[in-house]
Amino acid sequence: MVSPEVHHLFHHPIADHSFSADRQTLAVARDNQVELYGRSGGKFILQDELKGHDKTVTSVDIALTTGQIVTCSQDRNAYVWEPSPTGWKPTLVLLRINRAATFVRWSPSEKKFAVGSGARIIAVCYFEEENDWWVSKHLKKPIRSTITTLSWHPNSVLLAAGSTDAHARVFSSFIKGVDERPESSVWGERLPFNTVCGEYLNNSSGWIHSVAFSPSGNALAFAAHDSSVTVVYPSGPEQPPLAVVSLSTQLLPFLSLIWNGESEIIAAGYDCEAYRLRGSEQGWQIVGSMESKGRPGLGEMREESALNMFRQMDLKGKGARDDTVLKTVHQNTVTTVRVYEGVAGGVRKFSSSGVDGRVVIWTT
Amino acid sequence: MVTANWRTINIDLLDPESSANFPVSSLLPTLPQVSASEVQTLSGQIRQLLRGGDTEGALRGALENAPYGGDVGAKEIHLATVSEILQSIKASDMSPLLSRIYNSENGPETLDVLMKYLYKGMAHSSPPSNPSSKMLTPQTTGFSQIHSRGGGEGGGQAMSVLLSWHEKLVEIAGAGSIVRVMTDRRTV
């Protein structure tokens, strides 16, 4: 197993991170600003700072083809940043929300992006040529609480959202003149804006931390605060789903999850490490952790001799066992997991970031 | 003339769109109503199993039929039943019993219910009719039902039974089970 590439950027929580398409630039949300790191050799060096938000930046996403960066913040604003000869130029987006913006993601088509908020609204934003302005349309019903997470379907029309009202929902975000009419799928045939294509709740109804469409878009997974992962397999429009598989784990809750192919999910959260889950309509199981335990170079794994123990007690006034370091690579909660390098039908590498200020690139 | 202190008015209640005017229960699946007498009947059946020596059957029966939709009284009766079962199981039998339940169908969910009862048991305060023991050991808490039935059994002992169950249960069902107790809106 290839050991993970660890980048300890700073001693501060990372709310969200995103890599550019060439993986040479890394955007990291830190406090009220977004920091851009450039890869030089094996390291990431701070290159630029995107300043403009005056409250904590909650989410950042780099569009893979256009290179535009979208950020959103608790100051209720979102900015689209474009590269220009004089540096990054921000454009304010009219979100029209009265609570914090919590989560933002570009659609796969990159013509739109969606912003989740505490105002029980998802703002679907698109560029209006005539006004030279990003405008938004609101997905409102039937959201009853803060949107914590979003995920785009590959067709750029369907949007999954997880909320603190414990529901994971699938909406249509079809915008005339921007989107092409989507092909009918298991989620529905005709999809005008704000069509609710699915609404799911698990048994113990914990609030949702992460949602993700499978690569084909024909299944939806969500992780909730009851330490569960639920996978929904819809059967067709207006019909009960083919299967809803819920897995209650023995672990602490997952905060972020991605699909690796149609039968594997990688999830990480409060346990500070990523886990691999496998399954199908019949059921899902945790296969194991992505960490290779007993890696050389980890101090606390060393065999402790009695001499060493007494020496430590003499020097530091305590036993040799230093339990201030976790055995995981991340030293605190992992908040975001993203695909770093995809291959046909799966993920070759993925990246994770968390409260410990580390960005780690893992090989699956 | 009416004078109102405008600052104390909860303006959220005046906004029809506000979440303060929204009953959260309407978002959740409805739970079947259970009456106290039904719970009483069930507890009789479970005690029958317990007397017959089938502690596992009794525990399963009690946990799988938790009266989520019951009122306070019904829930109290069921808590008493569950704690009686828990007290009658030897410490050495706990772990094997829990792993058998965990590996059976719907096992993890059954153990989550057990975890709910452990926390509910621990939250249960000493009965007010017994103030002297409360004065002496203010930190110990027990069940009112156990006190009256168990005949002088201290709250401390009931607590130690719950704590040893808790320890064994976390070993098998993990921290996830504790998180689910805090998250789940279906309370016991």
Side-chain angles (χ1 to χ4, degrees):
Chain A
M1 196 167 180
V2 187
S3 60
E5 199 185 313
V6 184
H7 300 284
H8 194 181
L9 302 176
F10 40 72
H11 290 279
H12 210 278
I14 297 178
D16 196 4
H17 77 278
S18 180
F19 282 95
S20 64
D22 60 2
R23 302 176 202 102
Q24 297 301 307
T25 307
L26 164 64
V28 169
R30 175 189 188 179
D31 269 347
N32 297 354
Q33 62 194 46
V34 171
E35 296 187 342
L36 295 179
Y37 288 82
R39 188 188 270 278
S40 73
K43 292 179 88 174
F44 279 100
I45 311 282
L46 182 62
Q47 284 187 330
D48 213 340
E49 287 168 332
L50 307 183
K51 290 182 180 171
H53 288 292
D54 55 15
K55 290 261 172 13
T56 305
V57 177
T58 49
S59 194
V60 57
D61 198 24
I62 304 183
L64 292 180
T65 51
T66 61
Q68 290 175 322
I69 301 174
V70 63
T71 61
C72 73
S73 148
Q74 291 173 1
D75 65 10
R76 298 167 293 154
N77 288 324
Y79 286 105
V80 176
W81 306 77
E82 282 167 282
S84 76
T86 52
W88 290 88
K89 185 174 77 71
T91 312
L92 184 70
V93 183
L94 282 182
L95 291 182
R96 299 180 289 127
I97 54 175
N98 57 6
R99 296 286 189 280
T102 52
F103 201 86
V104 64
R105 285 294 180 264
W106 285 102
S107 71
S109 69
E110 298 179 11
K111 288 179 194 158
K112 299 190 292 189
F113 59 87
V115 183
S117 77
R120 294 177 278 144
I121 285 168
I122 303 167
V124 179
C125 308
Y126 57 100
F127 195 73
E128 229 176 47
E129 295 284 352
E130 329 61 289
N131 299 326
D132 191 23
W133 197 263
W134 288 92
V135 294
S136 64
K137 261 184 108 166
H138 285 172
L139 287 170
K140 230 171 173 176
K141 289 215 161 90
I143 303 165
R144 295 311 318 185
S145 191
T146 302
I147 296 295
T148 51
T149 178
L150 298 165
S151 170
W152 284 97
H153 187 277
N155 70 7
S156 292
V157 168
L158 292 167
L159 179 68
S163 162
T164 50
D165 62 15
H167 286 74
R169 298 186 177 88
V170 176
F171 294 102
S172 163
S173 68
F174 181 79
I175 288 167
K176 231 193 207 158
V178 176
D179 289 309
E180 285 164 33
R181 195 163 291 281
E183 286 175 36
S184 65
S185 68
V186 284
W187 299 101
E189 280 150 10
R190 286 190 65 251
L191 299 166
F193 189 78
N194 210 161
T195 309
V196 181
C197 305
E199 196 170 17
Y200 308 100
L201 178 75
N202 66 10
N203 285 333
S204 34
S205 52
W207 66 83
I208 312 294
H209 286 303
S210 186
V211 287
F213 277 109
S214 72
S216 68
N218 291 336
L220 178 77
F222 60 92
H225 197 68
D226 58 355
S227 289
S228 71
V229 173
T230 306
V231 186
V232 180
Y233 294 93
S235 56
E238 307 289 321
Q239 283 183 18
L242 203 62
V244 179
V245 183
S246 199
L247 170 71
S248 296
T249 71
Q250 294 164 298
L251 308 164
L252 295 176
F254 294 129
L255 286 180
S256 188
L257 56 84
I258 53 168
W259 287 76
N260 178 15
E262 294 288 326
S263 57
E264 192 172 304
I265 289 174
I266 294 162
Y270 289 110
D271 270 312
C272 313
E273 55 186 315
Y275 290 87
R276 194 196 297 270
L277 293 83
R278 282 213 186 100
S280 65
E281 288 96 324
Q282 275 75 45
W284 280 80
Q285 272 94 40
I286 291 189
V287 183
S289 169
M290 301 299 293
E291 307 255 346
S292 47
K293 291 274 160 59
R295 227 174 14 259
L298 269 181
E300 72 274 15
M301 294 294 186
R302 209 172 46 226
E303 192 83 16
E304 296 296 348
S305 69
L307 173 69
N308 198 16
M309 186 179 88
F310 285 116
R311 181 182 287 150
Q312 290 284 320
M313 283 171 82
D314 184 36
L315 283 173
K316 297 180 181 169
K318 62 177 179 182
R321 186 167 290 277
D322 196 351
D323 57 2
T324 56
V325 178
L326 296 178
K327 285 180 178 155
T328 51
V329 172
H330 276 288
Q331 292 297 303
N332 209 327
T333 301
V334 178
T335 49
T336 313
V337 177
R338 277 172 173 264
V339 176
Y340 178 79
E341 195 182 321
V343 288
V347 175
R348 206 172 80 79
K349 287 183 175 184
F350 68 94
S351 58
S352 62
S353 68
V355 183
D356 59 349
R358 285 176 175 82
V359 173
V360 182
I361 300 163
W362 306 79
T363 310
T364 61
Chain B
M1 201 173 83
V2 183
T3 52
N5 186 355
W6 302 107
R7 287 181 190 280
T8 61
I9 295 174
N10 186 353
I11 55 161
D12 281 338
L13 296 176
L14 302 173
D15 176 10
E17 278 287 287
S18 163
S19 52
N21 287 324
F22 184 77
V24 182
S25 56
S26 65
L27 279 177
L28 304 166
T30 48
L31 301 164
Q33 286 290 317
V34 187
S35 71
S37 60
E38 284 173 74
V39 178
Q40 197 77 61
T41 321
L42 180 70
S43 90
Q45 292 166 350
I46 288 166
R47 289 221 171 78
Q48 200 94 48
L49 283 174
L50 201 56
R51 275 196 293 275
D54 183 7
T55 46
E56 185 176 342
L59 186 60
R60 269 176 194 274
L63 297 178
E64 282 163 10
N65 297 298
Y68 287 137
D71 57 8
V72 179
K75 287 181 176 183
E76 287 292 320
I77 296 168
H78 206 73
L79 172 64
T81 314
V82 173
S83 34
E84 198 178 319
I85 301 167
L86 294 181
Q87 307 231 347
S88 69
I89 296 172
K90 282 205 296 282
S92 56
D93 295 340
M94 290 176 184
S95 292
L97 174 66
L98 290 174
S99 6
R100 272 202 302 282
I101 296 181
Y102 188 78
N103 293 316
S104 65
E105 202 185 335
N106 282 335
E109 205 164 309
T110 310
L111 292 188
D112 289 345
V113 181
L114 176 57
M115 189 62 98
K116 287 180 194 171
Y117 275 106
L118 294 184
Y119 277 105
K120 171 130 183 178
M122 290 191 238
H124 226 75
S125 57
S126 294
S129 58
N130 199 359
S132 60
S133 71
K134 209 171 187 175
M135 289 281 274
L136 286 169
T137 51
Q139 74 272 38
T140 57
T141 51
F143 319 125
S144 46
Q145 286 86 356
I146 300 301
H147 271 283
S148 52
R149 204 174 293 115
E153 199 175 46
Q157 203 205 327
M159 184 58 95
S160 89
V161 169
L162 291 176
L163 283 172
S164 54
W165 272 104
H166 186 270
E167 183 191 348
K168 303 275 167 27
L169 186 50
V170 171
E171 273 170 25
I172 288 164
S177 178
I178 300 174
V179 178
R180 280 190 285 280
V181 172
M182 295 191 278
T183 311
D184 206 330
R185 295 188 209 253
R186 295 169 301 174
T187 55
V188 293

